[in-house]
Amino acid sequence: MASVVKSFAIDGIDGYPVDIETKTLEGQPMISIIGLGDQAVKEASERVQAAIDETGYVFPKKRVIISLAPSDKKKSGSHFDLAMAIGVLQQNEDMAAKNISEYGFIGELSLDGRLRACHGILPMIIAAQRNGIKKVIIPVENLKEAKLVQGVTIIGLQNLGDVVRFLEGKPVEVNCILDKTTQENKSRVFDFADVKGQKELIDAVILAAAGGHNMLMIGEPGCGKTMIAQRIPTILPEMTEEECLEVTKIYSISGMLPSGHGLIRHRPFRAPHHNASLNALIGGGTNALPGEVSLAHNGVLFLDELAEFSRRTLDALRQPIEDKRVCISRVNGTHTFPSNFMFITAMNPCPCGYFPGAKCRCTDYEIIKYRGKISGPIMDRIDIQKEVKPVNYFELEQENHTMTSKEIREKVKKARKIQQVRYQNEPGINCNAQMSTTLLQKYCVLDEESRQLLKETSEKYGYSARVIHKLLRLARTSADLADAEKIRLDDVKRILNYRDLDRSNSKMLVVN
């Protein structure tokens, strides 16, 4: 009769249970692992055999078959080692463990039997809870991360020998790790108090943060675009427990959560370089890991030098920006990762970077060609286009008080609270940027004067229906910041002033 031990695999950002079935047969001594495992799973045979021998047990001198069920799903990683070793020892009757079916096992084995930390513990523990497993044995280094899941008993042990003794009911030291100094509990060093000048730009940033809107900053080098973008996460509302767990799961399966790291509580800020590949930005690879759009989930994705990104890479952002999720299809399945982020971008106004200043020597054709690297569909998905004017250092020296991130965050939180109350009966909608077309008709009603102004501007610049919808959402956020019940004419005028690139491009289009 085969022994069956529970372990877990990762599919997208979720986990699912895997039955490790072990059977010994008469024949030439060898070990076979079946069930669509990758190279790390196949190499487990050597690690398991060495660990069992090093722990003081004898590996069966028979033919050993280990099956990972369900057999039609691809499995990857080295975290099945511990479950395989326990299955072999149970099949060989080397331990007197009882109620082993109550446990799940996750962990990589070293050649001397020690348990090594592994990636993706959080979604696998959640899968265990979902499938009725109440106790899970894991490496001690993963203990802090695993304990984020409530309702499951987590046992952190050091090596295979301790696991066997624990299952046999013998006394063993169950370790708890101490908090370590990590990036998560370092103080936040960015603050809007460092930003001087750029009052108009900061007002636009507040509007974007208050409604979760996307934003493009256009300005010459050194005017503060990157500096301001880095500080946007500091003015966003704190993440809820559910949002924290979502972000932590993504970083866990990506292997970017340091050992001993707890729940990620600060909103992520991701700023990939413009030479980032398509897979790095969207996600993919052999095992379909999350890309930058998912690592920025519930936070900010900042693309500096937007026009330097390849057009193919930028166009791949269309679906994640619109749908708030990204689907990666591979031969062995489709993986879906969340990608609900604020899209913040920056670019120079021309190839040399100094238009319309005296230093610029670019022709209108060169400027239009440079800006044309960004496709229309991507520009349609950007709510705010704001020109960033250069600052005078010597004038800024005289400026004493600027708003801090804490002061700005209070404004943003107040507007977000209004939106949360408004959409409390609308599942999946937390801010104005996520409003559906039906909700636009309900909450973005304009008076005749405002409607006429929006219509004239739309006809002048040729706005698509998507852009008009985004402008209505922006107007609703502007009204929320002023605690106004309805959208006012001033709100419409304000948001139309945040389409600087449209106005700049229209001035250069000369018809002969």
Side-chain angles (χ1 to χ4, degrees):
M1 183 177 178
S3 65
V4 180
V5 178
K6 285 281 187 185
S7 189
F8 307 91
I10 302 172
D11 183 18
I13 66 165
D14 296 316
Y16 64 90
V18 174
D19 290 335
I20 310 291
E21 301 177 67
T22 307
K23 180 72 174 177
T24 57
L25 301 171
E26 296 296 332
Q28 185 72 23
M30 62 176 294
I31 180 170
S32 300
I33 301 176
I34 58 177
L36 285 182
D38 67 354
Q39 188 63 32
V41 174
K42 294 175 183 177
E43 291 175 351
S45 60
E46 305 296 335
R47 293 192 297 271
V48 169
Q49 187 168 350
I52 288 177
D53 290 341
E54 189 70 22
T55 306
Y57 298 96
V58 178
F59 195 84
K61 304 301 181 184
K62 298 179 180 181
R63 182 186 176 195
V64 179
I65 301 176
I66 301 176
S67 174
L68 282 63
S71 298
D72 60 340
K73 280 194 173 184
K74 184 78 174 178
K75 301 160 193 79
S76 61
S78 56
H79 58 274
F80 299 109
D81 292 4
L82 178 59
M84 292 181 188
I86 296 299
V88 170
L89 292 173
Q90 185 186 30
Q91 180 70 15
N92 206 35
E93 299 181 352
D94 282 335
M95 62 179 185
K98 296 180 180 179
N99 301 324
I100 200 169
S101 60
E102 297 177 358
Y103 292 87
F105 300 88
I106 305 171
E108 176 187 336
L109 288 172
S110 63
L111 297 181
D112 60 359
R114 286 181 294 110
L115 288 178
R116 295 182 181 273
C118 50
H119 301 154
I121 282 286
L122 192 56
M124 289 190 283
I125 298 293
I126 293 173
Q129 181 190 46
R130 192 166 54 241
N131 287 273
I133 302 294
K134 300 298 183 183
K135 303 174 184 176
V136 183
I137 296 177
I138 63 170
V140 67
E141 287 84 357
N142 290 122
L143 192 59
K144 186 175 180 181
E145 179 187 346
K147 282 188 175 294
L148 297 174
V149 183
Q150 303 297 317
V152 181
T153 302
I154 309 296
I155 302 106
L157 297 173
Q158 296 277 12
N159 53 59
L160 180 59
D162 286 348
V163 175
V164 174
R165 286 190 289 273
F166 178 84
L167 293 173
E168 290 178 333
K170 298 177 181 178
V172 63
E173 181 181 357
V174 180
N175 295 275
C176 292
I177 59 173
L178 300 175
D179 289 350
K180 298 179 180 179
T181 302
T182 64
Q183 183 179 359
E184 186 58 27
N185 50 34
K186 290 180 182 177
S187 60
R188 305 287 283 185
V189 296
F190 294 126
D191 197 293
F192 267 91
D194 303 327
V195 181
K196 295 186 178 181
Q198 306 295 5
K199 184 179 183 304
E200 289 185 8
L201 179 60
I202 292 176
D203 287 343
V205 168
I206 293 173
L207 181 65
H213 304 288
N214 302 327
M215 181 175 179
L216 168 65
M217 295 177 282
I218 315 107
E220 66 180 56
C223 62
K225 303 186 295 294
T226 303
M227 181 182 185
I228 287 175
Q230 290 172 335
R231 285 156 177 75
I232 290 177
T234 68
I235 65 173
L236 295 174
E238 296 87 351
M239 289 196 291
T240 64
E241 288 294 319
E242 182 181 356
E243 289 175 329
C244 291
L245 195 59
E246 287 177 351
V247 174
T248 307
K249 282 170 64 178
I250 293 169
Y251 278 74
S252 176
I253 65 175
S254 301
M256 299 177 65
L257 199 63
S259 298
H261 200 85
L263 199 65
I264 294 178
R265 295 196 175 275
H266 293 304
R267 293 189 181 272
F269 177 84
R270 303 296 300 179
H273 192 263
H274 58 75
N275 69 351
S277 67
L278 183 61
N279 282 353
L281 192 62
I282 303 301
T286 306
N287 297 322
L289 291 176
E292 293 290 344
V293 296
S294 297
L295 294 171
H297 180 59
N298 290 329
V300 174
L301 177 66
F302 175 56
L303 300 189
D304 201 2
E305 305 295 346
L306 185 65
E308 301 300 329
F309 282 81
S310 72
R311 183 155 185 159
R312 178 170 173 261
T313 301
L314 285 180
D315 284 344
L317 289 172
R318 297 183 193 181
Q319 185 230 349
I321 293 173
E322 198 71 20
D323 298 341
K324 307 302 182 186
R325 61 190 179 92
V326 59
C327 296
I328 302 170
S329 296
R330 292 293 180 267
V331 173
N332 56 8
T334 299
H335 306 277
T336 301
F337 299 109
S339 58
N340 184 13
F341 55 85
M342 270 186 71
F343 185 44
I344 306 297
T345 66
M347 64 179 287
N348 293 330
C350 66
C352 76
Y354 293 101
F355 178 82
K359 295 170 65 176
C360 180
R361 295 294 182 268
C362 301
T363 65
D364 281 1
Y365 172 75
E366 290 172 332
I367 297 172
I368 293 171
K369 183 179 178 181
Y370 178 76
R371 297 179 180 182
K373 293 180 180 180
I374 307 166
S375 67
I378 288 295
M379 290 304 301
D380 272 2
R381 286 165 170 80
I382 295 175
D383 307 60
I384 298 174
Q385 308 166 353
K386 189 62 185 168
E387 287 186 352
V388 187
K389 297 178 181 178
V391 293
N392 187 311
Y393 172 79
F394 300 101
E395 291 178 1
L396 294 181
E397 281 187 314
Q398 308 303 319
E399 188 173 336
N400 296 320
H401 177 71
T402 56
M403 293 183 69
T404 65
S405 290
K406 184 178 180 181
E407 292 171 338
I408 297 175
R409 176 182 272 185
E410 290 305 314
K411 287 186 175 184
V412 172
K413 287 172 66 176
K414 183 180 177 181
R416 286 284 184 107
K417 183 65 176 178
I418 294 172
Q419 295 165 45
Q420 288 168 3
V421 172
R422 179 185 300 135
Y423 307 125
Q424 59 184 344
N425 297 322
E426 306 293 339
I429 298 180
N430 301 308
C431 59
N432 287 334
Q434 300 171 356
M435 264 196 289
S436 64
T437 305
T438 304
L439 294 178
L440 279 172
Q441 296 171 353
K442 182 177 180 181
Y443 296 115
C444 298
V445 179
L446 302 180
D447 58 43
E448 186 56 35
E449 190 176 3
S450 300
R451 184 178 180 278
Q452 187 62 31
L453 176 61
L454 181 60
K455 181 181 178 182
E456 291 174 359
T457 307
S458 173
E459 290 173 350
K460 180 178 179 180
Y461 297 114
Y463 291 153
S464 67
R466 179 188 284 121
V467 173
I468 295 173
H469 284 173
K470 287 189 175 296
L471 291 173
L472 289 172
R473 295 185 184 104
L474 277 172
R476 181 65 265 174
T477 303
S478 177
D480 289 341
L481 282 168
D483 200 13
E485 183 179 351
K486 295 182 179 180
I487 297 175
R488 306 157 300 171
L489 179 61
D490 288 343
D491 297 318
V492 176
K493 289 180 178 179
R494 178 187 182 187
I495 58 104
L496 290 177
N497 284 330
Y498 291 152
R499 301 293 296 185
D500 291 345
L501 194 61
D502 291 337
R503 288 195 296 272
S504 178
N505 286 342
S506 69
K507 292 176 183 178
M508 290 184 289
L509 294 176
V510 180
V511 179
N512 295 323

